[in-house]
Amino acid sequence: GLIFLHHFWTESGDVCITGHDSGPVFEVQPSSVVYPEGLSKGTVTLNCQARASPAATYRWHVNGTNVPVGDLRYTLVAGNLVISGPQYGSDGGSYQCLAMNRCGTILSRVANLKFGYLHDFSGEGQSPQTVYEGAGAFLACQAPAHYPALSYRWFVNDFPSFVKPDGGRWFVSQVTGNLYLAKAEPNDTASYFCFTTIDMDISTKSTFSKANQLTVQPDGTGVSPAIKVRFPAETYALAGHTTQLECFAYGNPVPKLRWRKVDGLLPSKAGASAEGPILTLPEMTFHDEGVYECEAYNSEGRDKHQGRINVQAQPEWLQVMSDSEVEISSELHWTCVAAGKPRPSIRWLRNGQPLKVRVQGLKPNLVNTAAQEKFQAPDFRSNPVRRLVPAARGGQVMLECRPRAAPKPTLFWSRGTELLTNSSRVTVTPDGILWIHNISRADEGKYTCFAENYLGKANSTGHLSVRDATKITLAPSNADINQEENVTLQCHASHDPTMDLTFTWAHNGALLDLEDPAGPYHRVEGKETIGDLLIVSGQLSQAGTYSCTAQTVVDSASASAKLVVRGPPGPPGGLVVKNVAETSAELRWSRGYDNHSPIGKYVIMGCSPLSSGWRTMRTEPSNIEGNAESARVVGLLPWMDYEFQVIASNILGSGEPSMSSHTVRTQQAAPTVAPSGLGGGGGDRNELIITWTPMAREYQNGDGFGYILAFRKRNTPTWVVERVSNVESSRYVYSNQSLSPYCPFEVKIKAYNRKGEGPFSQIALVHSAEEEPTVAPLRINATALTAFEMQVSWDPVQHLSIRYWRQHEREAAADRVRTAGLETTARVAGLRPSTRYHVTVLAYNSAGTGPASPKSTVTTRRPPPNRPPGNVFWKTDGSWVTVRWDHVKALGNESAVLGYKVLYKHEGQSALKVLDKGKTSVTLPLPKDNGYVVLEIRSWGEGGDGAAHETIGISTIFICQSIPFKSVKGSEQKEM
């Protein structure tokens, strides 16, 4: 590409100072990253570093738009872009770094952030294949959706029994993943599993297919070779990279394979791969282009296949532009030439932005340039030698000499009167750059560049100042910590005291951000010569190599140390479930990372539809040692779905569980327990009803589930057996016209399924349906007890119902009282005083109610007086108290008073005491403490208890005093 720029002008703003400033030049550019999809807690770092004076600032573009640096998820560390928790769909794309200062802007190469994933295989297995002995066969992998490319292996029956080449009989294509068998043998009959692995920048993931069943039947005839794995008719290879071609053939005997180049000699770099299924050609060149052939041969014949390899090359610069200085309004002529295949296109950018320019198309290897020059004697005024050039002892320094002159001047350097020429420590380049290596104090002084052309001479002088070299005086030491512990990595340095010293730290080559107060990395504040690094709450991801760099403007020194972070083990991998029995299953797994602390034991977790979550399973052995990779889970329920996980632990704790196994169902078994809740009874005449509790899912043990009932009349030998096929059934009705009422039956029940029958339950006694009573109770007698109660008696009958109603009411509105068992009396309360009642008694059972007895009639007594005893007096005498009251006189419609009831208790006691007295006074002992005697007084007679006097309290405080009788009316107390 050839570019012409006319009529230069300056822009306002910060000015790039000639001889002092320099534009950005990339030292590190970002590389493409593949990040695991769904991993939300990690980070991606895209590196970008440029040298520049003044120091460069940075911006980032993604898919041509600005990255919002400063957002919570995007952080700029030096020039590096750190993306926290990368998200598929929002963060994927093409990233470019822009480095800029006042001299200009440069744009980095494109780095792609893509997201890797590997889905599970489909749940459908392949159809079983049958092949005759001696014939060839292949099993399709049908890999799940994924990115990037997979690597393929196959294992037989059990993981990790991987398929081996076995004399060339087997081949796994790394293009399709398919498994090829050149010649089948009887012992090849087995289940085969395609095992795929995906490698990303920070993780690896594997998964495997359902079983592919292969059956080999006897035959054994010879078969000529037939190539089944064919490489493309045209393959494009990239120069400098490795290319592989695949070829594989069926045949009996097993064919041998050889490769050749049809249009020339096979490259020697093919090596041993020239006789095998994969031809490997490393570091491809244009000489490797051509037609390649694979030949398969055995004693029965041969077969061939050909294809062409075309080599392409990425663009490569043949001639590049260099920095130029021009006068305003002058013309600049720049040339850059690139070669590549296909032919490269050329694009020009100015400060990172596309430039619309006139570009001449040129052939890759021929460039004609015509420089427009203005004749001028050498002049250093616009670009003098740097006046002061600092350099470190033992290091190297570069002094530039770039005067303005046309035609090009002759340049040479001197130190004082000594003309400098190339030596072991001094290099003078044709374009006027002076290099001094292994600098010592003796090199300090003035250096002058002389420039001369036929129009004149000029010179410019700079002073080389030699400074003490920067040295690491205390290097960081290797460290070993447990997860969550803090650690300090020391780094001390000496340097020239006239310059500033700064420390930077890198982890595995990536610069660390030491300014984030919430981050894990912090500077240890102290002297300028101390740059210790504090790592807070170390995590497994922070293990690795830490590099400390002490830097001044003239030199730097570095030292590194390794940090080991010990933690709980990582998740075990490759979990498979084998040999599933009725109550057990075998688990196999592969060891995960021990994270620098030996694995002590494994625990197996399981869940089923009946469990609320993961729970610890019983195993054999019960304690699984850390070197184990298999165990048997026991105590499972038959015919139940299970998933399993394995967790490894060490002295630092338990790690993350493995990926869950595929769901497996245990084998069916006959039931082992009998249904519960066996009972029954009731129903219509001539029925035997049997009930039970339906069995829960965990006890069914298999499909085809049901119940078997057996019943017989008590004290008879023959059992009647009935089957109930519905798992949810809880009731069975047996009807027979010959069943006598309320006949006792012995009943038992058991469960069954396709695998067999379980045990019978214990025998329960269940009665057939009853007949309602047919006779009425005899010798009914009703007696009034009080104004509110009566007592009814009868001859013994089981289950009775008493009906009663008032004289002028209808019998249909009668109230009822029920009794059970063989009672012969019952009290009926809640009656009205002085009221005539009719009473009948009926027998009942579960079948109904029998006829009523003849009517009995009773009249309740008159009510008791509704007035309490009045004029209550009390008097203490030593440790006794005497209470007196007036007699209650009954009215004409009230029952006579036959006596009184005194209710009392000591304070603090819960028990009540009742005294029945025919008199109108009572003497009671006082308690020994200062409590109270609480009294209630009411009359009683034939009509029942009368109204009570209000509760009174008698204090023992008066025991030692001579006090006359007290009168109590309500809550008042008066001396009498």
Side-chain angles (χ1 to χ4, degrees):
L2 187 64
I3 183 170
F4 294 93
L5 299 178
H6 302 274
H7 306 302
F8 286 92
W9 63 91
T10 60
E11 297 180 350
S12 61
D14 225 354
V15 177
C16 182
I17 302 172
T18 302
H20 179 273
D21 296 343
S22 61
V25 176
F26 280 119
E27 292 182 325
V28 179
Q29 296 193 55
S31 299
S32 295
V33 176
V34 177
Y35 186 81
E37 182 180 317
L39 181 64
S40 60
K41 295 183 179 180
T43 61
V44 165
T45 300
L46 299 175
N47 295 314
C48 181
Q49 296 295 320
R51 67 174 185 272
S53 179
T57 58
Y58 300 89
R59 288 208 323 268
W60 281 82
H61 286 171
V62 56
N63 300 328
T65 63
N66 282 327
V67 174
V69 173
D71 183 291
L72 290 176
R73 295 197 307 112
Y74 303 100
T75 308
L76 207 57
V77 180
N80 303 332
L81 177 65
V82 179
I83 306 173
S84 300
Q87 298 174 2
Y88 174 77
S90 61
D91 291 323
S94 299
Y95 287 80
Q96 282 182 288
C97 170
L98 289 84
M100 64 204 77
N101 69 2
R102 60 192 178 205
C103 292
T105 301
I106 55 176
L107 187 64
S108 76
R109 68 189 177 202
V110 172
N112 293 312
L113 172 56
K114 296 184 178 181
F115 287 81
Y117 62 91
L118 174 58
H119 292 171
D120 288 331
F121 279 86
S122 68
E124 300 177 2
Q126 301 287 326
S127 299
Q129 288 199 43
T130 301
V131 63
Y132 286 105
E133 180 183 355
F138 90 96
L139 299 173
C141 179
Q142 296 185 351
H146 61 275
Y147 180 83
L150 297 173
S151 62
Y152 300 91
R153 289 187 293 173
W154 285 73
F155 64 88
V156 188
N157 291 333
D158 296 317
F159 180 89
S161 301
F162 287 104
V163 172
K164 297 180 174 58
D166 189 16
R169 287 199 314 122
W170 294 99
F171 175 67
V172 178
S173 170
Q174 295 303 309
V175 176
T176 63
N178 296 341
L179 175 66
Y180 293 86
L181 175 59
K183 183 195 77 170
E185 296 178 355
N187 58 4
D188 293 328
T189 297
S191 295
Y192 294 83
F193 300 81
C194 181
F195 188 85
T196 61
T197 300
I198 188 169
D199 286 311
M200 289 167 277
D201 290 305
I202 65 171
S203 71
T204 298
K205 183 179 180 181
S206 299
T207 185
F208 56 86
S209 68
K210 295 284 188 181
N212 293 259
Q213 186 64 40
L214 177 66
T215 302
V216 179
Q217 294 186 352
D219 186 281
T221 60
V223 179
S224 297
I227 293 179
K228 294 299 181 180
V229 179
R230 299 171 178 264
F231 50 96
E234 194 162 22
T235 300
Y236 290 92
L238 190 59
H241 290 68
T242 297
T243 293
Q244 290 185 326
L245 301 178
E246 289 185 349
C247 177
F248 188 74
Y250 296 165
N252 183 15
V254 175
K256 293 184 179 181
L257 300 168
R258 60 188 170 202
W259 295 83
R260 72 185 187 98
K261 191 173 184 218
V262 177
D263 48 1
L265 294 176
L266 187 70
S268 60
K269 57 188 162 188
S273 71
E275 295 184 354
I278 299 177
L279 176 68
T280 301
L281 299 172
E283 298 180 358
M284 294 291 290
T285 68
F286 289 108
H287 296 292
D288 299 325
E289 278 194 334
V291 178
Y292 288 79
E293 179 184 85
C294 168
E295 182 182 30
Y297 61 95
N298 67 6
S299 58
E300 301 291 323
R302 62 191 62 237
D303 191 14
K304 297 179 181 180
H305 175 70
Q306 293 181 350
R308 179 176 183 81
I309 295 181
N310 292 310
V311 178
Q312 298 183 334
Q314 295 175 330
E316 180 180 358
W317 293 115
L318 300 179
Q319 182 178 343
V320 296
M321 54 195 281
S322 58
D323 293 343
S324 298
E325 293 183 11
V326 295
E327 293 185 352
I328 296 173
S329 299
S330 64
E331 181 176 280
L332 172 65
H333 177 188
W334 259 329
T335 302
C336 67
V337 180
K341 184 184 178 184
R343 180 180 174 179
S345 59
I346 295 177
R347 188 165 62 105
W348 287 82
L349 305 176
R350 177 175 180 267
N351 289 334
Q353 298 297 319
L355 188 62
K356 293 182 179 179
V357 296
R358 178 164 59 89
V359 180
Q360 292 183 352
L362 299 173
K363 294 181 179 179
N365 297 313
L366 177 62
V367 178
N368 294 321
T369 64
Q372 303 275 333
E373 294 185 343
K374 178 181 179 181
F375 298 108
Q376 178 181 353
D379 186 349
F380 280 99
R381 285 177 297 178
S382 63
N383 191 16
V385 174
R386 289 174 62 188
R387 305 240 180 244
L388 179 64
V389 181
R393 279 197 299 177
Q396 62 182 16
V397 69
M398 180 187 72
L399 288 81
E400 290 186 292
C401 179
R402 296 189 183 279
R404 179 173 294 172
K408 185 176 180 180
T410 301
L411 304 173
F412 57 92
W413 286 85
S414 73
R415 182 183 179 199
T417 60
E418 178 190 359
L419 184 65
L420 298 178
T421 59
N422 288 340
S423 68
S424 61
R425 294 200 311 114
V426 175
T427 302
V428 181
T429 67
D431 58 356
I433 295 178
L434 171 63
W435 284 94
I436 305 174
H437 307 277
N438 195 18
I439 295 170
S440 67
R441 286 287 184 188
D443 295 317
E444 195 167 60
K446 292 183 178 180
Y447 290 79
T448 303
C449 177
F450 294 88
E452 179 179 357
N453 64 13
Y454 74 92
L455 293 176
K457 301 177 181 180
N459 64 74
S460 180
T461 301
H463 184 271
L464 176 62
S465 175
V466 179
R467 312 293 177 87
D468 290 338
T470 303
K471 295 180 181 179
I472 300 293
T473 58
L474 179 59
S477 300
N478 293 340
D480 186 327
I481 64 170
N482 292 337
Q483 186 174 271
E484 302 292 343
E485 289 181 352
N486 298 346
V487 65
T488 298
L489 301 180
Q490 293 180 305
C491 186
H492 299 182
S494 64
H495 72 298
D496 192 292
T498 63
M499 294 179 293
D500 291 333
L501 180 69
T502 59
F503 288 90
T504 58
W505 283 85
H507 175 222
N508 294 336
L511 206 60
L512 297 180
D513 179 8
L514 307 181
E515 307 303 327
D516 183 2
Y521 302 108
H522 304 277
R523 300 181 192 274
V524 177
E525 299 297 335
K527 296 180 182 179
E528 183 190 11
T529 58
I530 297 177
D532 295 352
L533 173 68
L534 171 63
I535 304 175
V536 177
S537 187
Q539 301 299 311
L540 295 172
S541 60
Q542 291 166 327
T545 301
Y546 286 82
S547 301
C548 167
T549 301
Q551 188 165 7
T552 67
V553 293
V554 297
D555 71 339
S556 64
S558 298
S560 299
K562 291 189 179 296
L563 174 65
V564 173
V565 181
R566 302 181 187 276
L575 177 61
V576 293
V577 185
K578 293 288 183 183
N579 301 325
V580 180
E582 296 172 351
T583 59
S584 65
E586 184 180 349
L587 269 61
R588 297 182 184 179
W589 61 88
S590 57
R591 293 169 59 87
Y593 294 112
D594 64 8
N595 291 328
H596 308 290
S597 181
I599 296 173
K601 67 174 182 177
Y602 290 96
V603 172
I604 295 178
M605 309 296 291
C607 72
S608 71
L610 302 178
S611 60
S612 58
W614 294 94
R615 62 183 184 89
T616 303
M617 308 302 290
R618 289 170 45 211
T619 60
E620 290 180 355
S622 56
N623 295 315
I624 308 173
E625 301 292 339
N627 58 359
E629 292 190 340
S630 66
R632 189 154 198 87
V633 183
V634 297
L636 303 179
L637 297 174
W639 197 54
M640 186 61 64
D641 292 336
Y642 286 95
E643 289 182 47
F644 299 102
Q645 292 178 342
V646 181
I647 298 175
S649 61
N650 57 23
I651 60 173
L652 298 177
S654 297
E656 293 293 320
S658 68
M659 291 183 62
S660 300
S661 70
H662 293 296
T663 301
V664 297
R665 175 169 287 188
T666 49
Q667 299 292 320
Q668 298 189 36
T672 57
V673 296
S676 62
L678 185 61
D684 294 335
R685 183 180 299 181
N686 306 125
E687 286 183 348
L688 173 65
I689 297 179
I690 303 171
T691 60
W692 63 91
T693 302
M695 289 189 73
R697 171 67 177 79
E698 60 261 41
Y699 302 119
Q700 293 173 17
N701 290 7
D703 57 3
F705 185 86
Y707 304 96
I708 296 176
L709 288 167
F711 52 92
R712 67 182 179 186
K713 288 183 180 180
R714 190 165 61 179
N715 300 325
T716 61
T718 304
W719 292 90
V720 178
V721 178
E722 298 287 348
R723 297 174 78 90
V724 180
S725 60
N726 187 353
V727 65
E728 297 179 358
S729 295
S730 61
R731 186 171 185 266
Y732 175 77
V733 179
Y734 173 70
S735 297
N736 191 317
Q737 293 298 320
S738 64
L739 280 182
S740 54
Y742 204 63
C743 178
F745 278 82
E746 292 177 328
V747 178
K748 57 184 179 180
I749 188 172
K750 63 181 176 181
Y752 72 91
N753 60 23
R754 293 190 192 279
K755 283 290 184 177
E757 300 175 0
F760 268 118
S761 67
Q762 292 186 337
I763 293 175
L765 193 65
V766 178
H767 288 80
S768 61
E770 298 178 289
E771 277 187 335
E772 65 272 15
T774 56
V775 296
L778 301 176
R779 297 173 54 150
I780 306 303
N781 182 41
T783 305
L785 298 178
T786 67
F788 312 102
E789 289 182 308
M790 66 177 168
Q791 179 169 293
V792 182
S793 63
W794 58 88
D795 283 352
V797 178
Q798 198 161 10
H799 303 307
L800 285 136
S801 175
I802 302 171
R803 286 195 299 201
Y804 60 95
W805 63 98
R806 295 198 300 274
Q807 173 73 31
H808 301 295
E809 290 180 337
R810 290 181 295 111
E811 184 176 354
D815 291 324
R816 294 187 178 223
V817 172
R818 287 195 172 223
T819 69
L822 296 175
E823 299 290 336
T824 58
T825 61
R827 293 171 71 95
V828 180
L831 306 179
R832 295 186 181 183
S834 306
T835 302
R836 186 178 182 84
Y837 282 91
H838 300 297
V839 181
T840 63
V841 181
L842 306 86
Y844 73 92
N845 59 21
S846 60
T849 303
S853 68
K855 245 183 343 185
S856 179
T857 302
V858 63
T859 301
T860 54
R861 300 183 184 277
R862 288 179 293 174
N866 64 357
R867 295 172 306 286
N871 200 18
V872 178
F873 298 87
W874 55 270
K875 179 181 179 182
T876 59
D877 182 9
S879 59
W880 296 84
V881 61
T882 300
V883 183
R884 292 181 179 159
W885 57 89
D886 289 346
H887 176 65
V888 178
K889 186 175 181 180
L891 300 179
N893 61 344
E894 297 175 337
S895 60
V897 174
L898 302 178
Y900 299 89
K901 292 182 179 179
V902 179
L903 186 69
Y904 72 98
K905 70 175 181 177
H906 295 168
E907 187 185 35
Q909 294 179 339
S910 58
L912 297 173
K913 297 182 180 180
V914 180
L915 290 176
D916 288 340
K917 294 284 184 178
K919 302 178 181 178
T920 57
S921 66
V922 63
T923 299
L924 301 170
L926 281 170
K928 294 181 180 179
D929 55 12
N930 291 332
Y932 288 83
V933 175
V934 180
L935 299 174
E936 179 183 290
I937 307 169
R938 65 172 74 235
S939 63
W940 66 272
E942 289 182 347
D945 294 345
H949 186 280
E950 291 185 23
T951 300
I952 63 173
I954 303 175
S955 173
T956 61
I957 192 172
F958 302 107
I959 291 177
C960 299
Q961 299 179 7
S962 176
I963 296 179
F965 277 98
K966 300 290 183 177
S967 165
V968 181
K969 293 184 178 179
S971 58
E972 293 185 5
Q973 297 183 352
K974 295 182 180 179
E975 286 193 19
M976 301 303 292

